[in-house]
Amino acid sequence: MIRLAAGALLGLLAAPLAAQEAPPETAPLPPMRPADLTEGAQAPSVPDEAEGSDMAPQEVPMPEARPEPPDPKDRGEAEGTAEEDADTLSDEASEVDSETGSELDAGTDGGTEAEAEAEAEAEAEAGEDTDDAPDAGGTARESVPAMPGRLAASAAARETCRAELEALGAVFDTQPPVDDTDIADCGIAHPVMLSEIAPGVALAPPAPMRCETALALARWVEGFAKPAAERLGRGALTEIRQGTVYNCRSRNSDADTLSEHAFGNAVDIMSFGFAEGPEVKVQPREREGSMAEAFQDAVRATACLEFRTVLGPGSDAAHADHLHLDVKSRRGDFRLCQ
């Protein structure tokens, strides 16, 4: 009896341990899906508040389509256009270099008036490339207009020039055309006879010239020569003596080409007169160390602000005793100052 009771007690104690060690006979089934979730149902939309949050997007955007490769024909046309543009730029640069080089060469081969005027006589105003030297018979070439006509300014330009001269206080008269019976290229179509360059500063003797030449002279005297004279200590500038203005002649050292004097474009300055002291003659003054040298250097340097060619002592022997100033137009407004 006692043995039976003890066996039953041991059986009761061992049952829980056996239950813990034995694996379950079957896995538990998942919970039933809700009835409203069918195979064709759409996922719920993301509320507006979820925009910009870390939630994953509901739809992945499709990648952008790759561009189609360029047509070989179109590519060839584009490259051809670029090459043409590059060639155009190269040609323009070459033209600038060649023009600058030719003009610089003209100014570095001795400094004579002929070298200063080394370009063809076709003026920028006319835009023609011609040879204006007189022919063997002593007359201008018949294929182009004579130089006075080619350099003639329009009526409006002449009126403007004369108004500026009057505003600067210059004294002048308009004159009939100046011409030459032997050489048609010599002359001035619309000259002015300049007698007083600026108030109180006479041109001695008075001379005919193009209005453009007279205006450059008046601007130079009023703006630079008169202030320089105030530093000289000989009183006010009263006179500028000229040696040549209009003269139908060839260039120095070039008998086949006309000088700018033949067109009224040039003035040769011989000396400067003052109210209270001796005149200053233009002459070689290198390292003289005087006020006269300083004055001559000052007016010579500033003349290139108004004139396109300035030559004088040291340029060559022909200009040792005067300043040659002219308004000959050159491409690119090139100026030769020696």
Side-chain angles (χ1 to χ4, degrees), residues 43-61:
S45 60
V46 180
D48 294 340
E49 291 79 9
E51 292 180 3
S53 68
D54 294 335
M55 296 178 62
Q58 298 300 313
E59 295 182 2
V60 178

Side-chain angles (χ1 to χ4, degrees), residues 236-324:
L237 178 66
T238 58
E239 178 185 83
I240 291 182
R241 182 160 292 277
Q242 55 91 3
T244 305
V245 180
Y246 172 74
N247 187 4
C248 183
R249 64 171 178 81
S250 61
R251 297 173 181 171
N252 292 326
S253 305
D254 188 358
D256 293 330
T257 307
L258 290 173
S259 166
E260 292 304 305
H261 289 284
F263 318 129
N265 276 344
V267 179
D268 286 346
I269 305 298
M270 310 301 296
S271 65
F272 300 82
F274 306 93
E276 301 173 5
E279 67 179 356
V280 172
K281 294 182 178 181
V282 178
Q283 62 187 43
R285 297 178 181 274
E286 186 177 3
R287 303 183 68 83
E288 183 179 274
S290 65
M291 282 296 290
E293 180 186 8
F295 173 82
Q296 179 174 299
D297 289 347
V299 295
R300 179 176 180 173
T302 54
C304 211
L305 295 172
E306 302 296 343
F307 295 90
R308 292 180 173 85
T309 305
V310 178
L311 304 172
S315 297
D316 66 343
H319 297 90
D321 63 350
H322 68 276
L323 298 178
H324 170 89

